[in-house]
Amino acid sequence: MTVLSIVLQSLLIAYYVFSGSAKIAGAKYWVDVFNGLKLPQWFRVITGLVQLAGAAVLIIGYWYAEAVAWGGIWLGFTMLVAFFAHIRVKDSFGKTVQPVVFLALIVVVTLMNADGIMNLL
């Protein structure tokens, strides 16, 4: 693993632990976001759990590098769903760009660790 991969992995872990925990805890910001997306609040909690699971897999990736790519695929799918949820309600560019930026970072980390996918297949 390269230093860049580890730095990006660490930033993604920090974001998804914070974001997932805030969603589960019912932080006002995330309650408002899910209301704006016209999604039920139980889906906010599920999304938080999905993000925490992805962060856990990325953490495991510190010891087992092949886990990083799998965690990236998991979180990448989550960001695709978030992107389409924002498109569905015709959110502004400012609100829609966040999942795109995180998806791009996830793609970079996943590609940097893609050999891990082949090792597990």
Side-chain angles (χ1 to χ4, degrees):
M1 243 191 304
T2 66
V3 172
L4 177 60
S5 176
I6 292 170
V7 168
L8 289 175
Q9 177 184 350
S10 300
L11 291 172
L12 290 169
I13 290 167
Y15 172 75
Y16 286 109
V17 166
F18 178 75
S19 176
S21 298
K23 284 179 179 81
I24 292 168
K28 182 179 179 346
Y29 172 81
W30 288 111
V31 169
D32 293 345
V33 166
F34 276 74
N35 285 335
L37 293 172
K38 297 178 175 68
L39 294 170
Q41 292 303 311
W42 63 263
F43 194 72
R44 171 186 46 80
V45 175
I46 297 298
T47 302
L49 292 171
V50 165
Q51 289 182 340
L52 288 178
V57 174
L58 290 180
I59 291 169
I60 292 168
Y62 287 133
W63 294 276
Y64 302 99
E66 56 272 0
V68 176
W70 290 106
I73 291 169
W74 177 266
L75 291 169
F77 179 74
T78 304
M79 290 298 97
L80 275 175
V81 171
F83 170 73
F84 287 119
H86 285 280
I87 294 296
R88 181 179 61 88
V89 297
K90 298 179 174 88
D91 254 345
S92 67
F93 175 78
K95 291 181 180 179
T96 306
V97 73
Q98 180 189 10
V100 173
V101 169
F102 279 98
L103 178 60
L105 293 173
I106 290 165
V107 167
V108 169
V109 169
T110 301
L111 290 175
M112 291 176 85
N113 293 280
D115 57 331
I117 294 171
M118 298 312 294
N119 291 340
L120 291 177
L121 292 180

